[in-house]
Every structure is written in C-alpha cells, then in structure tokens.
Short mmCIF file of all heavy atoms in Angstrom, two decimals:
data_model
loop_
_atom_site.label_atom_id
_atom_site.label_comp_id
_atom_site.label_asym_id
_atom_site.label_seq_id
_atom_site.Cartn_x
_atom_site.Cartn_y
_atom_site.Cartn_z
N MET A 1233 84.42 85.57 111.94
CA MET A 1233 84.21 86.71 111.13
C MET A 1233 85.41 87.08 110.21
O MET A 1233 86.54 86.97 110.67
CB MET A 1233 83.79 87.81 111.98
CG MET A 1233 83.72 89.14 111.23
SD MET A 1233 82.62 90.27 111.93
CE MET A 1233 81.17 89.44 111.80
N ALA A 1234 85.11 87.30 108.97
CA ALA A 1234 86.18 87.64 108.04
C ALA A 1234 86.78 88.91 108.40
O ALA A 1234 86.12 89.89 108.84
CB ALA A 1234 85.69 87.74 106.56
N MET A 1235 88.11 89.02 108.23
CA MET A 1235 88.98 90.23 108.71
C MET A 1235 88.55 91.47 108.03
O MET A 1235 88.58 92.55 108.72
CB MET A 1235 90.42 89.89 108.53
CG MET A 1235 91.32 90.82 109.38
SD MET A 1235 92.88 90.03 109.25
CE MET A 1235 93.95 91.47 109.26
N ASP A 1236 88.05 91.31 106.75
CA ASP A 1236 87.65 92.58 106.04
C ASP A 1236 86.41 93.27 106.47
O ASP A 1236 86.08 94.40 105.97
CB ASP A 1236 87.74 92.34 104.56
CG ASP A 1236 86.70 91.27 104.14
OD1 ASP A 1236 86.05 90.66 105.01
OD2 ASP A 1236 86.52 91.03 102.91
N HIS A 1237 85.62 92.74 107.33
CA HIS A 1237 84.50 93.31 107.93
C HIS A 1237 84.71 94.16 109.04
O HIS A 1237 83.85 94.95 109.51
CB HIS A 1237 83.46 92.20 108.29
CG HIS A 1237 82.88 91.53 107.07
ND1 HIS A 1237 83.25 90.32 106.79
CD2 HIS A 1237 82.00 91.94 106.28
CE1 HIS A 1237 82.53 89.99 105.64
NE2 HIS A 1237 81.79 90.91 105.38
N TRP A 1238 85.89 94.15 109.61
CA TRP A 1238 86.31 94.93 110.75
C TRP A 1238 86.52 96.34 110.32
O TRP A 1238 87.18 96.62 109.30
CB TRP A 1238 87.37 94.47 111.50
CG TRP A 1238 87.22 93.21 112.21
CD1 TRP A 1238 87.62 91.90 111.81
CD2 TRP A 1238 86.51 93.03 113.41
NE1 TRP A 1238 87.11 91.00 112.64
CE2 TRP A 1238 86.57 91.61 113.66
CE3 TRP A 1238 85.91 93.82 114.37
CZ2 TRP A 1238 85.89 91.06 114.87
CZ3 TRP A 1238 85.37 93.33 115.51
CH2 TRP A 1238 85.36 91.90 115.62
N GLN A 1239 85.96 97.44 111.12
CA GLN A 1239 86.33 98.77 110.71
C GLN A 1239 86.91 99.39 111.95
O GLN A 1239 86.63 99.14 113.10
CB GLN A 1239 84.95 99.49 110.55
CG GLN A 1239 84.26 99.01 109.35
CD GLN A 1239 82.91 99.82 109.14
OE1 GLN A 1239 82.43 100.53 110.00
NE2 GLN A 1239 82.28 99.64 108.03
N LYS A 1240 88.10 100.11 111.54
CA LYS A 1240 88.90 100.74 112.50
C LYS A 1240 88.72 102.24 112.47
O LYS A 1240 88.55 102.72 111.37
CB LYS A 1240 90.41 100.39 112.34
CG LYS A 1240 91.27 100.97 113.32
CD LYS A 1240 92.76 100.36 113.26
CE LYS A 1240 93.37 100.63 111.83
NZ LYS A 1240 94.76 100.29 111.77
N SER A 1241 88.71 102.95 113.56
CA SER A 1241 88.53 104.36 113.54
C SER A 1241 89.52 105.13 112.62
O SER A 1241 90.71 104.66 112.51
CB SER A 1241 88.74 104.93 114.95
OG SER A 1241 88.73 106.31 115.04
N SER A 1242 88.99 106.22 111.97
CA SER A 1242 89.90 106.96 111.17
C SER A 1242 90.86 107.77 112.09
O SER A 1242 91.92 108.30 111.60
CB SER A 1242 89.09 107.87 110.26
OG SER A 1242 88.31 108.78 111.15
N TYR A 1243 90.62 107.88 113.41
CA TYR A 1243 91.48 108.58 114.26
C TYR A 1243 92.71 107.67 114.79
O TYR A 1243 93.64 108.10 115.35
CB TYR A 1243 90.67 108.99 115.53
CG TYR A 1243 89.78 110.07 115.25
CD1 TYR A 1243 88.45 109.79 115.10
CD2 TYR A 1243 90.16 111.36 115.23
CE1 TYR A 1243 87.51 110.84 114.85
CE2 TYR A 1243 89.30 112.50 114.98
CZ TYR A 1243 87.90 112.18 114.80
OH TYR A 1243 86.95 113.13 114.56
N CYS A 1244 92.62 106.42 114.31
CA CYS A 1244 93.69 105.50 114.75
C CYS A 1244 94.86 105.61 113.82
O CYS A 1244 94.69 105.51 112.62
CB CYS A 1244 93.08 104.01 114.76
SG CYS A 1244 94.37 102.87 115.29
N GLY A 1245 96.07 105.84 114.36
CA GLY A 1245 97.26 105.94 113.42
C GLY A 1245 97.71 104.66 112.91
O GLY A 1245 97.31 103.58 113.35
N GLU A 1246 98.49 104.70 111.82
CA GLU A 1246 99.05 103.61 111.16
C GLU A 1246 99.91 102.76 112.20
O GLU A 1246 100.75 103.33 112.82
CB GLU A 1246 99.89 103.94 110.01
CG GLU A 1246 100.37 102.78 109.07
CD GLU A 1246 99.20 102.06 108.52
OE1 GLU A 1246 98.30 102.67 108.07
OE2 GLU A 1246 99.21 100.77 108.48
N GLY A 1247 99.63 101.49 112.39
CA GLY A 1247 100.41 100.64 113.26
C GLY A 1247 99.91 100.68 114.69
O GLY A 1247 100.43 99.93 115.56
N ASP A 1248 98.98 101.61 115.06
CA ASP A 1248 98.42 101.65 116.33
C ASP A 1248 97.46 100.55 116.64
O ASP A 1248 96.82 100.14 115.68
CB ASP A 1248 97.81 102.99 116.66
CG ASP A 1248 98.76 104.16 116.67
OD1 ASP A 1248 99.85 104.02 116.75
OD2 ASP A 1248 98.18 105.38 116.69
N ALA A 1249 97.40 100.10 117.87
CA ALA A 1249 96.50 99.15 118.31
C ALA A 1249 95.18 100.01 118.71
O ALA A 1249 95.35 100.69 119.75
CB ALA A 1249 96.98 98.32 119.50
N CYS A 1250 94.15 99.77 118.03
CA CYS A 1250 92.95 100.50 118.27
C CYS A 1250 91.68 99.53 118.37
O CYS A 1250 91.91 98.36 118.04
CB CYS A 1250 92.67 101.57 117.21
SG CYS A 1250 93.87 102.74 116.98
N LEU A 1251 90.64 99.96 118.74
CA LEU A 1251 89.43 99.30 118.83
C LEU A 1251 88.83 99.16 117.38
O LEU A 1251 88.74 100.10 116.60
CB LEU A 1251 88.42 100.05 119.72
CG LEU A 1251 87.12 99.31 119.94
CD1 LEU A 1251 87.38 98.08 120.81
CD2 LEU A 1251 86.07 100.19 120.61
N SER A 1252 88.56 97.93 117.02
CA SER A 1252 87.91 97.74 115.65
C SER A 1252 86.46 97.22 116.00
O SER A 1252 86.13 96.45 116.91
CB SER A 1252 88.63 96.60 114.87
OG SER A 1252 89.75 97.26 114.49
N VAL A 1253 85.50 97.45 115.07
CA VAL A 1253 84.16 97.18 115.25
C VAL A 1253 83.62 96.46 113.98
O VAL A 1253 84.06 96.72 112.80
CB VAL A 1253 83.24 98.40 115.44
CG1 VAL A 1253 81.76 98.15 115.69
CG2 VAL A 1253 83.75 99.23 116.63
N ALA A 1254 82.70 95.49 114.19
CA ALA A 1254 82.09 94.66 113.07
C ALA A 1254 80.64 94.32 113.46
O ALA A 1254 80.37 93.98 114.59
CB ALA A 1254 82.92 93.46 112.81
N ALA A 1255 79.78 94.31 112.51
CA ALA A 1255 78.45 93.85 112.68
C ALA A 1255 78.27 92.43 112.11
O ALA A 1255 78.80 92.31 110.92
CB ALA A 1255 77.42 94.86 112.08
N THR A 1256 77.74 91.66 112.84
CA THR A 1256 77.53 90.23 112.27
C THR A 1256 76.21 90.19 111.50
O THR A 1256 75.28 91.02 111.76
CB THR A 1256 77.40 89.20 113.42
OG1 THR A 1256 76.38 89.41 114.24
CG2 THR A 1256 78.75 89.26 114.28
N PRO A 1257 76.10 89.18 110.68
CA PRO A 1257 74.76 89.00 109.90
C PRO A 1257 73.58 88.87 110.96
O PRO A 1257 72.45 89.31 110.59
CB PRO A 1257 75.01 87.73 109.20
CG PRO A 1257 76.39 87.59 109.01
CD PRO A 1257 77.05 88.08 110.28
N GLY A 1258 73.84 88.41 112.26
CA GLY A 1258 72.73 88.30 113.12
C GLY A 1258 72.56 89.44 113.91
O GLY A 1258 71.82 89.54 114.96
N ARG A 1259 73.07 90.60 113.54
CA ARG A 1259 72.93 92.00 114.04
C ARG A 1259 73.57 92.11 115.33
O ARG A 1259 73.33 93.11 116.11
CB ARG A 1259 71.48 92.33 114.14
CG ARG A 1259 70.76 92.40 112.80
CD ARG A 1259 69.73 93.31 112.43
NE ARG A 1259 69.52 94.32 113.46
CZ ARG A 1259 69.80 95.70 113.29
NH1 ARG A 1259 70.45 95.97 112.29
NH2 ARG A 1259 69.35 96.54 114.16
N ALA A 1260 74.57 91.35 115.70
CA ALA A 1260 75.37 91.64 116.88
C ALA A 1260 76.56 92.60 116.48
O ALA A 1260 77.00 92.58 115.34
CB ALA A 1260 75.97 90.30 117.49
N ILE A 1261 76.88 93.48 117.44
CA ILE A 1261 78.04 94.30 117.23
C ILE A 1261 79.21 93.70 118.06
O ILE A 1261 79.20 93.33 119.21
CB ILE A 1261 77.81 95.68 117.89
CG1 ILE A 1261 76.54 96.23 117.15
CG2 ILE A 1261 79.03 96.57 117.55
CD1 ILE A 1261 76.62 96.53 115.81
N GLN A 1262 80.33 93.38 117.32
CA GLN A 1262 81.55 92.76 117.87
C GLN A 1262 82.70 93.82 117.92
O GLN A 1262 82.78 94.73 116.97
CB GLN A 1262 81.97 91.66 117.10
CG GLN A 1262 80.95 90.43 117.19
CD GLN A 1262 81.63 89.23 116.60
OE1 GLN A 1262 82.31 89.19 115.52
NE2 GLN A 1262 81.24 88.11 117.20
N LEU A 1263 83.39 93.79 119.05
CA LEU A 1263 84.59 94.77 119.16
C LEU A 1263 85.87 93.83 119.36
O LEU A 1263 85.74 92.90 120.09
CB LEU A 1263 84.25 95.57 120.48
CG LEU A 1263 82.98 96.23 120.45
CD1 LEU A 1263 82.78 96.97 121.83
CD2 LEU A 1263 82.97 97.38 119.37
N THR A 1264 86.87 94.35 118.97
CA THR A 1264 88.14 93.68 119.07
C THR A 1264 89.28 94.67 118.99
O THR A 1264 89.18 95.72 118.58
CB THR A 1264 88.38 92.56 118.05
OG1 THR A 1264 89.45 91.75 118.47
CG2 THR A 1264 88.59 93.04 116.71
N GLU A 1265 90.52 94.29 119.47
CA GLU A 1265 91.69 95.10 119.24
C GLU A 1265 92.12 94.94 117.79
O GLU A 1265 92.21 93.86 117.37
CB GLU A 1265 92.75 94.66 120.26
CG GLU A 1265 94.05 95.50 120.14
CD GLU A 1265 95.15 94.90 121.07
OE1 GLU A 1265 94.87 93.97 121.73
OE2 GLU A 1265 96.23 95.44 120.91
N SER A 1266 92.50 96.00 117.12
CA SER A 1266 92.76 96.02 115.72
C SER A 1266 94.04 95.22 115.51
O SER A 1266 94.18 94.54 114.36
CB SER A 1266 92.92 97.37 115.15
OG SER A 1266 93.95 98.06 115.81
N ALA A 1267 94.88 95.00 116.52
CA ALA A 1267 96.06 94.24 116.28
C ALA A 1267 95.77 92.66 116.15
O ALA A 1267 96.65 91.99 115.67
CB ALA A 1267 97.11 94.46 117.46
N ASP A 1268 94.59 92.24 116.65
CA ASP A 1268 94.29 90.87 116.65
C ASP A 1268 92.81 90.80 116.34
O ASP A 1268 92.01 90.23 117.21
CB ASP A 1268 94.52 90.33 118.07
CG ASP A 1268 94.44 88.80 118.07
OD1 ASP A 1268 94.30 88.18 117.06
OD2 ASP A 1268 94.33 88.33 119.20
N PRO A 1269 92.33 91.04 115.00
CA PRO A 1269 90.95 90.97 114.76
C PRO A 1269 90.35 89.57 114.68
O PRO A 1269 89.14 89.44 114.45
CB PRO A 1269 90.95 91.70 113.46
CG PRO A 1269 92.32 91.42 112.89
CD PRO A 1269 93.22 91.51 114.01
N ALA A 1270 91.10 88.62 114.78
CA ALA A 1270 90.55 87.24 114.73
C ALA A 1270 89.85 86.81 116.13
O ALA A 1270 89.07 85.84 116.13
CB ALA A 1270 91.65 86.26 114.50
N HIS A 1271 90.06 87.58 117.09
CA HIS A 1271 89.41 87.29 118.42
C HIS A 1271 88.56 88.45 118.95
O HIS A 1271 88.98 89.41 119.27
CB HIS A 1271 90.59 87.02 119.41
CG HIS A 1271 91.38 85.88 119.05
ND1 HIS A 1271 92.55 85.89 118.39
CD2 HIS A 1271 91.06 84.55 119.36
CE1 HIS A 1271 93.01 84.69 118.30
NE2 HIS A 1271 92.14 83.86 118.81
N SER A 1272 87.18 88.17 118.81
CA SER A 1272 86.36 89.18 119.34
C SER A 1272 86.30 89.24 120.94
O SER A 1272 86.38 88.07 121.60
CB SER A 1272 84.83 88.77 119.01
OG SER A 1272 83.84 89.61 119.50
N ILE A 1273 86.44 90.40 121.40
CA ILE A 1273 86.60 90.45 122.84
C ILE A 1273 85.38 90.87 123.58
O ILE A 1273 85.17 90.88 124.68
CB ILE A 1273 87.72 91.45 123.35
CG1 ILE A 1273 87.47 92.92 122.73
CG2 ILE A 1273 89.02 90.87 122.93
CD1 ILE A 1273 88.43 93.85 123.33
N LEU A 1274 84.36 91.44 122.79
CA LEU A 1274 83.20 91.87 123.27
C LEU A 1274 82.11 91.82 122.28
O LEU A 1274 82.36 92.17 121.18
CB LEU A 1274 83.32 93.26 123.80
CG LEU A 1274 82.05 94.04 124.43
CD1 LEU A 1274 81.74 93.27 125.72
CD2 LEU A 1274 82.39 95.47 124.80
N ALA A 1275 80.91 91.50 122.56
CA ALA A 1275 79.70 91.47 121.66
C ALA A 1275 78.58 92.14 122.43
O ALA A 1275 78.38 92.02 123.57
CB ALA A 1275 79.41 90.11 121.25
N THR A 1276 77.81 92.86 121.64
CA THR A 1276 76.70 93.58 122.22
C THR A 1276 75.59 93.78 121.06
O THR A 1276 75.75 93.31 119.96
CB THR A 1276 77.06 94.97 122.85
OG1 THR A 1276 76.00 95.59 123.52
CG2 THR A 1276 77.56 95.91 121.63
N ASP A 1277 74.43 94.33 121.36
CA ASP A 1277 73.30 94.52 120.41
C ASP A 1277 73.47 96.00 119.99
O ASP A 1277 74.11 96.89 120.51
CB ASP A 1277 71.95 94.17 121.11
CG ASP A 1277 71.72 95.20 122.19
OD1 ASP A 1277 71.22 96.22 121.99
OD2 ASP A 1277 72.08 94.75 123.41
N PRO A 1278 72.83 96.27 118.80
CA PRO A 1278 72.96 97.57 118.18
C PRO A 1278 72.35 98.67 119.01
O PRO A 1278 73.03 99.90 119.10
CB PRO A 1278 72.10 97.44 116.88
CG PRO A 1278 72.14 95.96 116.60
CD PRO A 1278 72.21 95.25 117.89
N ALA A 1279 71.34 98.47 119.87
CA ALA A 1279 70.80 99.49 120.73
C ALA A 1279 71.81 99.89 121.86
O ALA A 1279 72.01 101.02 122.07
CB ALA A 1279 69.53 99.09 121.28
N THR A 1280 72.44 98.90 122.43
CA THR A 1280 73.41 99.17 123.49
C THR A 1280 74.58 99.77 122.93
O THR A 1280 75.18 100.92 123.51
CB THR A 1280 73.90 97.89 124.12
OG1 THR A 1280 72.68 97.22 124.66
CG2 THR A 1280 74.87 98.03 125.20
N TRP A 1281 75.08 99.50 121.70
CA TRP A 1281 76.14 100.18 120.97
C TRP A 1281 75.95 101.58 120.76
O TRP A 1281 76.72 102.57 120.96
CB TRP A 1281 76.57 99.26 119.75
CG TRP A 1281 77.73 99.90 119.04
CD1 TRP A 1281 77.59 100.37 117.69
CD2 TRP A 1281 79.05 100.11 119.41
NE1 TRP A 1281 78.80 100.90 117.31
CE2 TRP A 1281 79.77 100.68 118.29
CE3 TRP A 1281 79.70 99.84 120.52
CZ2 TRP A 1281 81.07 101.06 118.41
CZ3 TRP A 1281 81.10 100.09 120.69
CH2 TRP A 1281 81.78 100.61 119.60
N ALA A 1282 74.61 101.91 120.21
CA ALA A 1282 74.35 103.23 120.05
C ALA A 1282 74.20 104.04 121.25
O ALA A 1282 74.67 105.20 121.20
CB ALA A 1282 72.82 103.18 119.22
N ARG A 1283 73.73 103.55 122.33
CA ARG A 1283 73.67 104.29 123.63
C ARG A 1283 75.19 104.61 124.06
O ARG A 1283 75.50 105.68 124.58
CB ARG A 1283 73.04 103.45 124.69
CG ARG A 1283 71.55 103.55 124.56
CD ARG A 1283 70.79 103.16 125.85
NE ARG A 1283 71.18 101.71 126.16
CZ ARG A 1283 70.52 100.68 125.69
NH1 ARG A 1283 69.55 100.80 124.89
NH2 ARG A 1283 70.89 99.46 126.14
N PHE A 1284 76.07 103.55 123.94
CA PHE A 1284 77.42 103.81 124.29
C PHE A 1284 78.08 104.92 123.41
O PHE A 1284 78.83 105.83 124.02
CB PHE A 1284 78.24 102.48 124.06
CG PHE A 1284 79.65 102.59 124.18
CD1 PHE A 1284 80.31 102.80 125.46
CD2 PHE A 1284 80.52 102.46 123.02
CE1 PHE A 1284 81.65 102.87 125.54
CE2 PHE A 1284 81.96 102.63 123.26
CZ PHE A 1284 82.53 102.75 124.43
N LEU A 1285 77.93 104.88 122.08
CA LEU A 1285 78.45 105.94 121.23
C LEU A 1285 77.85 107.37 121.61
O LEU A 1285 78.62 108.36 121.69
CB LEU A 1285 78.19 105.74 119.86
CG LEU A 1285 78.87 104.42 119.22
CD1 LEU A 1285 78.53 104.23 117.80
CD2 LEU A 1285 80.44 104.59 119.32
N ARG A 1286 76.68 107.37 121.87
CA ARG A 1286 75.97 108.63 122.29
C ARG A 1286 76.57 109.13 123.58
O ARG A 1286 76.80 110.43 123.70
CB ARG A 1286 74.47 108.38 122.40
CG ARG A 1286 73.57 109.58 122.31
CD ARG A 1286 71.96 109.42 122.23
NE ARG A 1286 71.53 108.11 122.73
CZ ARG A 1286 71.19 107.02 122.08
NH1 ARG A 1286 71.32 107.00 120.80
NH2 ARG A 1286 70.68 106.03 122.72
N SER A 1287 76.68 108.28 124.55
CA SER A 1287 77.43 108.73 125.81
C SER A 1287 78.79 109.22 125.59
O SER A 1287 79.19 110.22 126.21
CB SER A 1287 77.26 107.55 126.80
OG SER A 1287 78.20 106.64 126.59
N LEU A 1288 79.51 108.71 124.70
CA LEU A 1288 80.92 109.17 124.41
C LEU A 1288 80.81 110.55 123.83
O LEU A 1288 81.59 111.46 124.23
CB LEU A 1288 81.58 108.20 123.48
CG LEU A 1288 82.08 106.79 123.96
CD1 LEU A 1288 82.70 106.03 122.94
CD2 LEU A 1288 82.93 107.04 125.15
N LYS A 1289 80.01 110.77 122.90
CA LYS A 1289 79.75 111.94 122.13
C LYS A 1289 79.39 113.14 123.22
O LYS A 1289 79.84 114.14 123.16
CB LYS A 1289 78.81 111.86 120.98
CG LYS A 1289 79.44 111.05 119.90
CD LYS A 1289 78.33 110.94 118.84
CE LYS A 1289 78.92 110.05 117.67
NZ LYS A 1289 77.90 109.83 116.74
N GLU A 1290 78.43 112.72 124.04
CA GLU A 1290 78.01 113.71 125.02
C GLU A 1290 79.05 114.09 126.09
O GLU A 1290 79.13 115.20 126.31
CB GLU A 1290 76.70 113.17 125.82
CG GLU A 1290 75.52 113.03 124.88
CD GLU A 1290 74.34 112.35 125.57
OE1 GLU A 1290 74.47 111.92 126.69
OE2 GLU A 1290 73.27 112.26 124.93
N SER A 1291 79.76 113.06 126.43
CA SER A 1291 80.89 113.46 127.45
C SER A 1291 81.95 114.20 126.81
O SER A 1291 82.60 115.05 127.50
CB SER A 1291 81.44 112.11 128.12
OG SER A 1291 82.16 111.33 127.12
N ASP A 1292 82.21 113.97 125.54
CA ASP A 1292 83.25 114.90 124.82
C ASP A 1292 82.75 116.28 124.71
O ASP A 1292 83.65 117.08 124.75
CB ASP A 1292 83.47 114.26 123.36
CG ASP A 1292 84.62 114.89 122.63
OD1 ASP A 1292 85.69 115.02 123.34
OD2 ASP A 1292 84.58 115.07 121.46
N ASN A 1293 81.49 116.51 124.55
CA ASN A 1293 80.95 117.84 124.47
C ASN A 1293 80.96 118.58 125.84
O ASN A 1293 80.86 119.79 125.85
CB ASN A 1293 79.53 117.92 123.94
CG ASN A 1293 79.51 117.48 122.49
OD1 ASN A 1293 80.55 117.67 121.74
ND2 ASN A 1293 78.39 116.82 121.97
N HIS A 1294 81.11 117.78 126.86
CA HIS A 1294 81.03 118.45 128.30
C HIS A 1294 82.45 118.59 128.79
O HIS A 1294 82.60 119.05 130.00
CB HIS A 1294 80.09 117.65 129.21
CG HIS A 1294 78.68 117.64 128.69
ND1 HIS A 1294 77.98 118.80 128.62
CD2 HIS A 1294 77.96 116.63 128.23
CE1 HIS A 1294 76.80 118.43 128.16
NE2 HIS A 1294 76.71 117.14 127.89
N GLY A 1295 83.41 118.01 128.17
CA GLY A 1295 84.73 118.04 128.72
C GLY A 1295 85.57 119.08 128.26
O GLY A 1295 86.56 119.65 128.83
#
C-alpha cells in the first residue's frame, strides 16, 4: 500500500508514533504504527472497524 493512503489521527503530535489507518481497494481496513507505515500490523473488515470505533467512543463517554 502506498504511504500516502495512510491517515494518522489529528490528535497525534508531530513526531509521535501513533496508529495509522488505511482502507485497501478490496475494502479491508489496515492498521499500522505511523513510524513504520510500510508494515501493516493488523487488518480487519469495515464492520468490525466501525464496531471498534463505536466502542471507543462509548467508553470515552462513560469514563
């Protein structure tokens, strides 16, 4: 995957190692550490990724 397709959170500071996310043409969601975007460390499907994000938002609202 080309490096320019990776998106890093706007909450990540300059030079910080953060989680980067990319969607592949086959609709897989790939996750990697922003310091090393050439190596995908996890891949999932869009529905699972959406559930994960929803659970993070819900836990943030309860904490």
Side-chain angles (χ1 to χ4, degrees):
M1233 169 153 299
M1235 201 165 145
D1236 59 354
H1237 289 103
W1238 291 104
Q1239 294 181 344
K1240 185 169 57 167
S1241 170
S1242 60
Y1243 291 99
C1244 185
E1246 186 65 37
D1248 289 347
C1250 298
L1251 185 67
S1252 292
V1253 180
T1256 67
R1259 300 213 6 105
I1261 305 297
Q1262 292 186 326
L1263 309 166
T1264 191
E1265 179 185 356
S1266 60
D1268 190 14
H1271 295 98
S1272 177
I1273 58 170
L1274 180 65
T1276 190
D1277 61 88
T1280 302
W1281 179 243
R1283 283 191 305 271
F1284 172 70
L1285 293 178
R1286 198 167 32 254
S1287 73
L1288 288 177
K1289 290 176 183 177
E1290 288 172 1
S1291 68
D1292 190 41
N1293 289 332
H1294 298 295

